[in-house]
Amino acid sequence: MSSQQPSTRRHTALPKARTLIEALPWLTRHHGKTVVIKFGGNAMVDEELKAAFAQDVVFLRHAGLRPVVVHGGGPQISAQLDRLGLESEFRAGLRVTTPETMDVVRMVLAGQVQRELVNLLNQHGPLAVGMTGEDAHIMAATQHYADVDGERVDIGRVGDIHAVDTGAIEALLDDGRIPVISSIARSADGAEGETGVYNVNADTAAAALAAALDAETLMVLTDVEGLYEDWPNSDEVISRLTAGELEKLLPDLASGMVPKMEGCLHAVRNGVHTARVLDGRVPHSILLEIFTDEGIGTMVVPDPVPDPRKAEGPE
């Protein structure tokens, strides 16, 4: 009988084992926790990034987390309006949404973007279920008015979230499903019997759902590396900041980052433990952020709770 040691060639998978073991404390920490992910930016339009996003979300589900996906669809809506010969108009960074435009928004979000994402997720098993904020009264909204040079401007069927009912989402999560929610809400301010709907900013919708679900984490995919320390003078990314520190920075942020960072602020001030802005242009950015020490984006955390004993001073 040979006493020769096994060939090292049999252990080429060892680095993979080390990677899995490195993720163990993170898997333990997040097991059973709800994670709300806002799907947006390049990750929505690049085929490889879309596929990687779907793999990440399914991985989270099989790793024992409870992922919820919220999406908008700005580029797809603009493309469809263009095909129909309808103008895309924006005021204060928000799409002016006429009743005719709202029909297109609804059709694109629920009938195109959501269906594609659900199908990508379901390539890995019967997991994803698509809904809009109208379904089961998940989201109700009141009309949002834009502020243009200090003037209150009517921009149509654009909504501010008024109420969230998470019952249907929680039932799906308890059944092991992955809810995929389009950012459309029913009207909370219409006349009796009116069935109006509102177009809601997807960052805002994701933050409201994360707070209502008492989520562990809100993750917002975007097309930048995170929140920059001193843009455009520096491309240094702030890796971590408190709610109070973020609030001070908000007035000076680029308009595209404002709803994302306001959403993060709302989430951590309403029970969500961390909110993160990630670069959706990086394949598997979700796994890199949630299962590694370094992380790759900007994480917002609640303000520290002061110790009352220190405030009292010595007796």
Side-chain angles (χ1 to χ4, degrees):
M1 186 184 291
S2 169
S3 60
Q4 209 173 9
Q5 291 296 313
S7 166
T8 53
R9 282 180 299 176
R10 295 183 190 176
H11 303 298
T12 52
L14 195 55
K16 293 179 183 176
R18 289 197 185 104
T19 301
L20 290 170
I21 293 302
E22 188 187 326
L24 183 58
W26 304 97
L27 288 165
T28 305
R29 182 181 306 172
H30 294 293
H31 190 85
K33 301 290 175 57
T34 300
V35 179
V36 175
I37 306 162
K38 189 269 179 161
F39 181 53
N42 267 320
M44 290 188 78
V45 292
D46 180 285
E47 296 304 321
E48 286 184 24
L49 291 173
K50 274 193 280 196
F53 174 83
Q55 288 171 334
D56 283 9
V57 173
V58 172
F59 186 97
L60 295 184
R61 155 68 178 72
H62 286 304
L65 285 79
R66 291 154 54 98
V68 177
V69 179
V70 179
H71 72 89
Q76 294 90 335
I77 292 165
S78 293
Q80 183 62 23
L81 288 170
D82 194 43
R83 279 193 288 270
L84 295 170
L86 298 171
E87 187 182 351
S88 287
E89 184 188 351
F90 291 86
R91 305 292 298 273
L94 296 168
R95 185 186 300 276
V96 176
T97 307
T98 64
E100 194 176 21
T101 303
M102 188 67 228
D103 287 341
V104 176
V105 168
R106 213 175 186 182
M107 177 180 72
V108 171
L109 294 187
Q112 178 190 333
V113 180
Q114 182 198 96
R115 296 324 309 162
E116 185 179 18
L117 185 49
V118 165
N119 289 337
L120 277 171
L121 291 164
N122 285 343
Q123 286 178 12
H124 305 281
L127 298 168
V129 177
M131 308 170 81
T132 78
E134 301 168 73
D135 295 323
H137 289 187
I138 292 171
M139 290 190 289
T142 54
Q143 184 166 359
H144 174 85
Y145 291 88
D147 184 333
V148 180
D149 299 325
E151 190 182 339
R152 191 170 182 252
V153 177
D154 185 344
I155 53 173
R157 306 299 300 176
V158 176
D160 285 322
I161 293 180
H162 172 75
V164 177
D165 184 334
T166 61
I169 295 175
E170 289 177 19
L172 287 170
L173 290 171
D174 290 344
D175 194 36
R177 310 296 174 180
I178 301 171
V180 178
I181 315 294
S182 304
S183 59
I184 306 166
R186 72 186 183 94
S187 171
D189 58 2
E192 192 66 35
E194 186 183 327
T195 56
V197 291
Y198 283 112
N199 180 17
V200 178
N201 179 283
D203 299 309
T204 308
L209 281 173
L213 285 163
D214 198 22
E216 172 76 10
T217 296
L218 167 67
M219 307 182 90
V220 179
L221 268 64
T222 185
D223 282 345
V224 294
E225 294 172 276
L227 189 60
Y228 293 112
E229 186 114 28
D230 184 24
W231 184 261
N233 303 317
S234 164
D235 62 357
E236 203 61 37
V237 172
I238 303 170
S239 61
R240 185 181 186 277
L241 74 168
T242 65
E245 289 167 343
L246 172 58
E247 191 169 35
K248 288 175 188 167
L249 294 176
L250 276 176
D252 298 318
L253 296 184
S255 60
M257 285 300 280
V258 170
K260 293 171 179 29
M261 301 317 300
E262 281 182 341
C264 289
L265 184 62
H266 173 82
V268 299
R269 287 217 161 133
N270 287 275
V272 179
H273 292 184
T274 63
R276 306 149 189 255
V277 175
L278 307 185
D279 191 346
R281 301 167 301 178
V282 177
H284 303 296
S285 55
I286 293 170
L287 297 189
L288 288 168
E289 176 65 22
I290 211 163
F291 292 134
T292 65
D293 286 325
E294 295 83 12
I296 64 160
T298 295
M299 181 166 73
V300 184
V301 297
D303 291 314
V305 178
D307 186 339
R309 291 170 298 182
K310 289 182 180 175
E312 287 167 9
E315 290 186 12

